[in-house]
């Protein structure tokens, strides 16, 4: 399942064919010192990577006058990085090189060294060949509705030929990629906050591998580097810089997704948000974005595309309205008692004026008709069943 | 001079008859107890000697040997003090031998000659076949349960000797332990709103289905669970005797007015240990699950209990008994209870509706896994609760009282008995087709759920049993679609706690 046409250097490098030359080994070693992205950028600005590495080793680099990085700069590090990248099939790219996304290279906070893993080539190699990319992000603790929306959003965008950019975190990020990973979709882009070979729980590692094999993984963290908290926040700017739009599906009032939104707003990248119930904490952040006028309200992939590409029409996503003609009085009463908020059986029964058993039987029939859905005993009225 | 006096000791919830033989002979003065006594029995030497001297009797300046028969079995506890003292007095001629014939003595002595209460009077007296039993005055209520008119009490050793010799009447039992437990527990009418929760406890009581309540703090889980014993039918005579026996062995007060009738409720704290739950200690004291026999075991915050503690429940849930073994003894204690578990939906407690909680998915999954699949499968009912609506709390609409619900429960239990099962939860798979026939619409609903994968084969049996109970409460023989739909909903919260075990 390789990506779209137009394979490029990144893909070739990702297959681990060519061993790294000295410049790229030294660049990888500089990235592996554990310094912040801005420090790495200063280390490499205006000098050749080999020369920069020599200066850091000697403790006389102008960007590190105190020699703080000297201790981490072991003599064998460049060779180790070369071996490690070859082993994990990781390409090391510097801004301006073929395969390094031009939009990202043009960013003032561009990663000075980019590690690319994966088979697909969704990241355009030339300035003229910018394939569409949209970031879908959100909270790690979403509501069940949020997960459904994110999955449908990922699937809809991928089916429309848009690469879904996301951070591979649990929750909304994972659901968006799960949706995008359906066969025939545009290749996904995973922007990692940690090294591409960082240990993960099995379910997350499987998803990371699926994204790598269907699309591409980007990270500015060198393979083998231990994860730090700050890495996850700073990678959000890469997602914003790479994408033509950022969609927040759900975010709590103080969520990491708001980092991405801030980075997008600074870059002039349009932000979309999915409105949620005003009583749902998982939607507090997204609703605040909408009220503040920062984001544009979207319901699904079609709304996103219409917002980003005016006049866009998404094929095959016509809303299906079930016929409400042949419904009996009890079903109407139960549907009337169901709201968007999950409700327990006794609340629904009380609202519909039915006994518990009668209400349960009507609800089971509505669920089979796709007019209601139940999760752990909590009922919501829904027009569609969750895509599986 | 030789004397023989009957007594009893306790292992688990079973009494064992012990014959105390006392031999006083010439020789170097001394006092020996043989016959595998434990530490408390060995110490009774000093208590008995002091009690005799305090009561104005002479201690024989000769060799005293006490044998506890059968001598191959270990004996524990201080309950043999009284028999040893009486035996010495008989051997010394202070009490005529015929006065202690066909009489058993159980009780602990104080150094001042007072007779003190011991635990386990009910099972101990049940094991002796004597016409007359003498027990501490404080144990009169328990002794009357077993021995009826044959029960005699003693508050002091000298009083007892006078009564045995016929020079004074037997003392009248006074100061018997009074049980503070009220006959009527909390009423279901106090639970406002919570129709689903109320229905769940009614179905649990009617069908004997184990119940899991999932809800945030303050959603009324404890309120509902504590009202469940009041819905169950009163204890039968055998059950009541078992309950009295177990509670007596554990040293809990036994009601004055006869055998208990209300099913017990035990609610061990979530800090409880495996031994406290199963029972144990050197003399195999019954644990919480045995104390809940014939009643309700309520485990609050079930997610907080360690796996080792929860594992204890598996054997009793399967077989209705718990087997415990220690170095000195092993015992099989009865433990047939209705299990009510309560837990939060997630670590923060707010996750009934998923968007309201900020637990990570990993934390939620970990919390759900605290209860093993096989244990979760024992719950026929799993119901999610939310905090009651303020309108319900403040409303003055009368709620149905326990008595009305208990009448419906009793009717369903009678029907189950007529079918030849203890309760509907115990209907064997082979008889489900015969005892819980499905209507066409109900069968269609079940089939749809089986095809969609929402229901497993094991789940099907569970749903049919619960639907049987729901239909019984509805007064129908045929199980209709509404009954099956309600049974499905009464188990819906199970899905929040991780995947089900594939049978």
């Amino acid at each position: 399942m390789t990506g779209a046409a137009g394979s490029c250097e990144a893909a070739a490098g990702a297959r681990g064919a060519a061993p790294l030359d000295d410049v790229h080994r030294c660049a990888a070693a500089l990235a592996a010192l554990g310094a912040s992205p801005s420090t790495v950028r200063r280390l490499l600005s205006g000098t050749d990577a080999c020369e920069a590495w020599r200066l850091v080793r000697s403790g006389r680099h102008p960007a590190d006058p105190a020699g703080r990085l000297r201790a981490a700069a072991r003599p064998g590090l460049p060779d180790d990085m070369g071996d490690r990248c070859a082993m994990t099939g990781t390409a090391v790219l510097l801004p301006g090189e073929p395969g390094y996304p031009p939009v990202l290279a043009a960013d003032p906070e561009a990663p000075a060294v980019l590690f690319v893993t994966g088979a697909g080539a969704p990241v355009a190699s030339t300035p003229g060949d910018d394939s569409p990319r949209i970031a879908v992000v959100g909270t790690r603790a979403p509501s069940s509705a949020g997960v459904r929306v994110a999955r449908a959003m990922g699937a809809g965008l991928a089916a429309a030929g848009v690469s879904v950019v996301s951070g591979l975190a649990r929750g909304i990020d994972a659901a968006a990629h799960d949706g995008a990973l359906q066969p025939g979709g545009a290749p996904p882009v995973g922007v990692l906050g940690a090294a591409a070979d960082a240990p993960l729980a099995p379910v997350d590692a499987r998803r990371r591998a699926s994204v790598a094999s269907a699309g591409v993984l980007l990270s500015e963290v060198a393979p083998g580097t231990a994860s730090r908290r700050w890495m996850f926040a700073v990678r959000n700017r890469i997602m914003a810089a790479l994408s033509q739009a950022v969609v927040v599906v759900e975010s709590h009032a103080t969520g990491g997704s708001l980092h991405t939104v801030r980075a997008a707003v600074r870059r002039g990248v349009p932000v979309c948000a999915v409105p949620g119930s005003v009583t749902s904490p998982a939607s507090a952040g997204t609703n605040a974005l909408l009220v503040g006028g920062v984001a544009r309200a979207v319901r699904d992939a079609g709304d996103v595309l219409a917002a980003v590409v005016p006049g866009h029409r998404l094929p095959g996503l016509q809303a299906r309205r079930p016929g409400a003609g042949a419904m009996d009085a009890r079903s109407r009463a139960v549907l009337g008692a169901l709201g968007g908020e999950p409700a327990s059986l006794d609340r629904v029964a009380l609202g519909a004026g039915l006994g518990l058993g009668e209400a349960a039987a009507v609800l089971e029939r509505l669920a089979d008709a796709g007019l209601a859905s139940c999760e752990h005993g909590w009922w919501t009225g829904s027009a569609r069943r969750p895509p599986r | 001079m030789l004397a023989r006096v009957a007594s009893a000791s306790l292992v688990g919830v079973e009494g064992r008859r012990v014959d105390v033989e006392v031999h006083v002979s010439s020789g170097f003065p001394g006092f020996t107890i043989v016959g595998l006594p434990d530490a408390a029995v060995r110490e009774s030497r000093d208590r008995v000697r002091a009690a005799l001297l305090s009561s104005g009797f002479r201690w024989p300046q000769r060799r005293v040997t006490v044998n506890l028969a059968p001598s191959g079995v270990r004996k524990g506890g201080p309950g043999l003090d009284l028999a040893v003292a009486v035996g010495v007095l008989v051997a010394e001629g202070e009490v005529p031998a015929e006065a202690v014939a066909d009489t058993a003595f159980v009780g602990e002595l104080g150094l001042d000659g007072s007779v003190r209460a011991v635990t386990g009077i009910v099972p101990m007296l049940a094991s002796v076949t004597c016409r007359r039993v003498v027990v501490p005055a404080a144990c009169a209520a328990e002794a009357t349960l077993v021995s009826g008119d044959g029960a005699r009490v003693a508050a002091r050793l000298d009083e007892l000797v006078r009564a045995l010799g016929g020079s004074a009447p037997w003392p009248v039992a006074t100061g018997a332990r009074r049980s503070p437990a009220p006959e009527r527990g909390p009423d279901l009418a106090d639970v406002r709103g919570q129709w689903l929760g109320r229905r769940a406890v009614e179905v649990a009581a009617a069908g004997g289905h184990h119940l899991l309540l999932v809800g945030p703090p303050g959603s009324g889980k404890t309120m509902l669970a504590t009202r469940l014993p009041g819905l169950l039918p009163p204890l039968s005579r055998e059950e009541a005797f078992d309950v009295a026996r177990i509670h007596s062995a554990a040293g809990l007060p036994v009601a004055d007015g006869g055998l208990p009738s209300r099913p017990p409720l035990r609610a061990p704290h979530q800090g409880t240990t495996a031994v406290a739950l199963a029972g144990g200690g050197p003399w195999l004291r019954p644990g919480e699950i045995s104390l809940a026999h014939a009643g309700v075991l309520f485990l609050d915050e079930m997610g907080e209990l360690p796996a080792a503690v929860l594992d204890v429940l598996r054997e009793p849930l399967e077989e209705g008994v718990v087997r415990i073994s220690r170095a000195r003894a092993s015992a099989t204690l009865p433990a047939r209870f209705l299990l009510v578990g309560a837990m939060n939906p997630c670590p923060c407690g707010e996750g009934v509706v998923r968007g309201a909680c900020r637990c990570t998915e990993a934390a939620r999954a970990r919390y759900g896994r605290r209860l093993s699949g096989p244990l979760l499968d024992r719950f026929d009912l799993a119901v999610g609760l939310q905090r009651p609506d303020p309108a319900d709390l403040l409303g003055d609409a009368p709620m149905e009282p326990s008595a009305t619900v208990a009448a419906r429960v009793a009717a369903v239990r009678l029907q189950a008995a007529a079918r030849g099962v203890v309760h509907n939860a115990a209907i064997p798979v082979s008889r489900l087709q015969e005892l819980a026939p499905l209507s066409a619409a109900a069968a269609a609903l079940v089939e749809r759920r089986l095809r969609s994968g929402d229901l497993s084969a094991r789940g099907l049996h569970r749903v049919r049993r619960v639907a049987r109970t729901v239909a019984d409460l509805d007064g129908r023989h045929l199980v209709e679609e509404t009954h099956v739909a309600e049974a499905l909903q009464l188990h819906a919260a199970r899905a929040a706690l991780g995947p089900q075990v594939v049978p």
Side-chain angles (χ1 to χ4, degrees):
Chain A
M1 204 194 342
T2 63
S7 89
C8 64
E9 302 271 335
R15 288 179 206 287
L20 295 183
D21 59 21
D22 280 347
V23 172
H24 288 90
R25 276 187 227 197
C26 289
L30 287 168
L33 293 177
S36 71
S38 56
T39 308
V40 176
R41 199 159 46 242
R42 280 202 303 281
L43 288 176
L44 279 165
S45 73
T47 36
D48 170 43
C50 295
E51 176 65 10
W53 174 252
R54 205 178 53 73
L55 285 171
V56 168
R57 288 268 305 133
S58 67
R60 288 198 307 275
H61 197 290
D64 180 35
R68 250 172 279 166
L69 298 173
R70 203 172 157 187
R74 306 182 276 109
L77 189 58
D79 288 341
D80 287 355
M81 289 311 298
D83 293 347
R84 189 143 196 146
C85 290
M87 208 167 63
T88 54
T90 304
V92 180
L93 298 176
L94 302 174
E97 292 186 337
Y100 193 109
V103 282
L104 194 54
D107 193 83
E109 292 178 290
V113 184
L114 191 62
F115 297 90
V116 182
T117 319
V123 181
S125 54
T126 58
D129 177 26
D130 245 2
S131 62
R133 289 183 298 269
I134 289 179
V136 180
V137 298
T139 175
R140 285 161 209 262
S143 69
S144 53
V147 171
R148 282 204 298 274
V149 170
R151 199 180 285 145
M153 184 82 73
L157 290 175
V162 177
S163 286
V164 171
V165 179
S166 198
L168 281 166
R170 289 193 164 182
I172 297 293
D173 285 15
H177 266 151
D178 286 347
L181 278 170
Q182 302 192 351
V189 181
V191 181
L192 299 167
D197 59 354
L200 286 180
V203 55
D204 301 320
R206 267 200 299 281
R207 187 178 296 114
R208 183 173 67 186
S210 312
V211 170
S213 68
V216 70
L217 297 175
L218 304 180
S219 177
E220 58 180 325
V221 181
T225 310
S227 307
R228 303 271 175 75
R229 267 184 98 85
W230 55 263
M231 293 175 177
F232 295 89
V234 298
R235 67 89 195 266
N236 287 340
R237 74 181 199 285
I238 304 180
M239 285 197 278
L242 266 182
S243 309
Q244 276 103 51
V246 170
V247 180
V248 191
V249 176
E250 273 188 336
S251 168
H252 288 267
T254 57
S257 331
L258 301 182
H259 284 293
T260 317
V261 170
R262 273 192 288 272
V265 171
R266 273 207 301 277
R267 286 165 177 76
V269 174
V271 178
C272 304
V274 178
S277 162
V278 291
T279 59
S280 163
S283 288
T286 37
N287 285 342
L289 290 176
L290 294 170
V291 171
V294 176
R296 180 162 175 168
V298 291
R299 293 167 298 181
D300 50 25
D303 285 353
V304 174
L305 292 173
V308 178
V309 191
H312 184 94
R313 285 190 64 79
L314 201 58
L317 211 78
Q318 273 81 35
R320 182 166 59 89
R321 285 272 157 257
M327 234 187 280
D328 62 288
R330 292 194 307 173
S331 302
R332 271 203 303 278
V334 168
L335 265 189
L338 277 177
E341 294 278 296
S344 60
L345 174 66
D346 51 353
R347 283 282 144 210
V348 176
L350 211 64
L354 296 173
L356 285 178
E358 278 179 314
V362 173
L363 281 168
E364 295 286 353
R365 288 187 171 192
L366 288 174
D368 285 329
L371 292 174
S373 64
C374 174
E375 193 192 26
H376 318 157
W378 301 90
W379 286 92
T380 37
S382 67
R384 273 196 299 270
R385 301 209 87 183
R388 268 258 49 124
Chain B
M1 176 83 197
L2 176 75
R4 183 180 283 120
V5 178
S7 186
S9 73
L10 186 69
V11 174
V13 297
E14 302 289 339
R16 293 210 180 138
R17 184 191 163 113
V18 175
D19 281 313
V20 178
E21 297 168 335
V22 181
H23 187 245
V24 178
S25 62
S26 59
F28 196 73
F31 187 10
T32 338
I33 298 186
V34 297
L36 292 186
D38 82 341
V41 177
R42 272 197 301 274
E43 286 172 355
S44 88
R45 284 190 312 187
D46 301 314
R47 280 194 301 271
V48 168
R49 187 167 179 277
L52 280 177
L53 294 174
S54 308
S55 305
F57 300 107
R58 216 166 39 82
W59 183 257
Q61 291 302 312
R62 291 189 290 164
R63 183 171 183 78
V64 179
T65 307
V66 174
N67 179 40
L68 308 175
S71 51
V73 186
R74 284 208 170 269
K75 290 109 196 150
L80 296 168
D81 285 7
L82 191 59
V84 173
V86 171
V88 170
L89 292 169
V90 172
E92 279 287 280
E94 300 271 0
V95 174
E98 57 276 14
V100 300
D102 210 9
T103 305
F105 296 84
V106 179
E108 176 187 338
L109 286 176
L111 299 186
D112 58 351
S114 59
V115 182
R116 291 185 178 154
V118 293
T119 61
I121 287 287
V122 174
M124 282 198 277
L125 296 191
S127 71
V128 299
T129 49
C130 300
R131 188 175 49 80
R132 211 164 48 158
V133 294
V134 179
V135 299
C139 301
E142 288 171 60
T144 317
L145 281 186
V146 196
S147 307
D149 295 341
R152 298 283 183 276
V153 298
R156 301 190 47 80
L157 188 57
D158 46 0
E159 255 176 43
L160 172 62
V161 171
R162 282 197 295 278
L164 283 171
S167 59
W170 282 97
V172 179
T174 54
R177 282 193 233 171
R178 302 238 164 231
S179 165
E183 256 309 289
R184 297 172 51 81
D187 199 288
L188 198 59
D190 309 337
V191 182
R192 311 207 68 85
Q194 301 289 22
W195 285 271
L196 194 60
R198 293 167 59 94
R199 181 65 169 175
V201 290
E202 177 176 344
V203 173
H209 305 286
H210 299 303
L211 168 65
L212 181 64
L213 298 167
V214 182
S219 54
K221 292 170 291 191
T222 309
M223 252 190 132
L224 285 167
T226 49
R227 279 149 184 83
L228 187 46
L231 305 182
L232 292 171
L235 297 176
S236 70
R237 208 184 140 66
E238 298 93 291
E239 283 172 335
F241 190 76
D242 276 342
V243 169
R245 197 158 59 97
I246 297 165
H247 285 225
S248 168
L252 296 182
V254 170
D256 244 352
L259 287 171
S261 63
R262 188 182 163 87
L265 169 74
R266 299 298 298 181
H269 185 257
Q270 63 263 29
T272 192
T273 61
V275 169
L277 208 56
W283 296 104
L284 308 178
R285 191 181 182 279
E288 291 290 343
I289 54 174
S290 294
L291 292 173
H293 178 72
V296 175
L297 180 68
F298 175 46
L299 293 178
D300 202 359
E301 302 292 356
M302 216 170 165
E304 305 297 329
L305 286 170
V309 174
L310 290 174
D311 261 357
V312 166
L313 296 171
R314 288 173 66 174
E315 183 189 24
L317 284 174
E318 196 78 46
E319 301 177 32
V321 295
V322 56
R323 291 184 187 85
I324 43 181
S325 299
R326 295 292 183 272
R328 288 177 179 174
S330 63
T332 302
L333 308 184
R336 192 176 299 284
F337 50 82
L338 186 56
L339 178 62
V340 181
M343 62 189 292
N344 291 332
C346 65
C348 81
E350 302 299 325
V352 177
V353 182
R354 280 185 65 177
C357 112
R358 292 213 65 176
C359 303
T360 61
E361 228 163 293
R364 290 179 67 96
R366 216 168 28 245
Y367 194 77
R369 280 200 299 272
R370 295 257 183 99
L371 269 58
S372 67
L375 179 59
L376 279 173
D377 280 352
R378 298 278 153 223
F379 289 104
D380 284 354
L381 307 171
V383 175
L385 298 176
Q386 57 189 346
R387 298 198 181 93
D389 198 282
D392 294 331
L393 287 179
L394 297 173
D396 51 3
M399 306 300 289
E400 211 173 17
S402 287
T404 318
V405 180
R408 283 201 297 270
V409 168
V412 175
R413 290 271 180 148
L414 275 179
Q415 265 180 300
R419 294 186 192 112
V421 293
V422 188
H423 41 52
N424 288 339
I427 296 178
V429 173
S430 55
R431 294 190 67 198
L432 271 174
Q433 193 60 42
E434 164 207 347
L435 296 181
L438 297 174
S439 77
L445 173 58
V446 168
E447 191 186 333
R448 288 202 300 276
R449 290 294 164 268
L450 282 170
R451 285 195 192 286
S452 68
D454 295 332
L455 199 60
S456 65
R458 186 199 288 259
L460 172 64
H461 303 324
R462 183 196 65 236
V463 163
R464 292 190 76 170
R465 293 190 185 106
V466 176
R468 172 73 273 161
T469 306
V470 174
D472 284 346
L473 285 168
D474 204 9
R476 302 291 175 83
H477 172 65
L478 192 64
V479 176
E480 308 274 357
E481 186 188 9
T482 53
H483 307 142
V484 170
E486 191 174 336
L488 285 169
Q489 283 305 301
L490 286 173
H491 194 255
R494 166 68 177 82
L497 303 171
Q500 305 194 23
V501 177
V502 178

